[in-house]
Amino acid sequence: MKCYGRNLDEVWKDKEGTSAEINLSILNLLRKCGVQSYPVLFSTRYNGLVNYDFPSLSQFNTVDIVAVNGNKFCLLDGTNPYLSYQTIPYNVANRTGMLIDLVNRSKIDVDFGRRRISDSVSVTATVDANGVLRGTAVKRY
């Protein structure tokens, strides 16, 4: 089993990659454009909690990007092209990640008052004497 990422040139050539490869490609593009940005390691809900007293790479299973603009920052995940930069990715909501830069590493709390993904469906319907279903449905995202 291969436990490391491919060369990002191969990712661009093949037009597909893992979540880490996709997000690290975005990180490189942001940095080339002069945007202060950093990779953030996360352990998703399915992977479990990280022991931040003794963190190791094996405790993390995904990489996202933090783009900094003054005292505000955006958490970006390139694996969901329809996710707004203002919305926290579902797999890391209410979680802590490890921000990595050249000088040090630091914990970062993701629950910073951002909008969360909300998805709901409401149906109001009746069945008449002939067995015909009539009603309305409202889907919100």
Side-chain angles (χ1 to χ4, degrees):
M1 182 174 145
K2 186 166 93 171
C3 297
Y4 54 88
R6 298 178 294 159
N7 183 319
L8 292 182
D9 290 335
E10 295 175 29
V11 174
W12 280 100
K13 180 182 169 194
D14 296 343
K15 295 183 174 69
E16 64 181 27
T18 65
S19 62
E21 292 166 342
I22 291 167
N23 284 323
L24 291 176
S25 295
I26 292 171
L27 174 71
N28 286 338
L29 290 171
L30 289 170
R31 286 182 172 177
K32 285 197 182 269
C33 293
V35 177
Q36 184 183 0
S37 50
Y38 303 96
V40 182
L41 302 175
F42 286 103
S43 176
T44 61
R45 295 178 188 273
Y46 306 108
N47 193 52
L49 295 174
V50 172
N51 179 354
Y52 283 98
D53 293 330
F54 301 100
S56 67
L57 283 178
S58 64
Q59 295 180 44
F60 300 96
N61 68 333
T62 191
V63 178
D64 286 344
I65 304 302
V66 165
V68 181
N69 182 9
N71 61 354
K72 295 182 180 180
F73 62 94
C74 299
L75 184 65
L76 308 173
D77 181 7
T79 62
N80 185 346
Y82 305 107
L83 185 68
S84 167
Y85 71 93
Q86 298 174 327
T87 305
I88 299 170
Y90 175 74
N91 65 338
V92 298
N94 298 322
R95 302 293 280 190
T96 302
M98 184 69 68
L99 186 134
I100 307 295
D101 68 12
L102 294 175
V103 178
N104 59 23
R105 66 182 202 282
S106 60
K107 290 186 343 183
I108 182 171
D109 183 14
V110 177
D111 191 17
F112 45 84
R114 290 293 189 86
R115 294 188 298 178
R116 291 182 174 80
I117 295 174
S118 176
D119 194 8
S120 66
V121 177
S122 299
V123 177
T124 304
T126 58
V127 178
D128 66 16
N130 297 327
V132 177
L133 177 68
R134 297 182 197 274
T136 59
V138 177
K139 178 166 178 32
R140 286 187 171 175
Y141 179 78

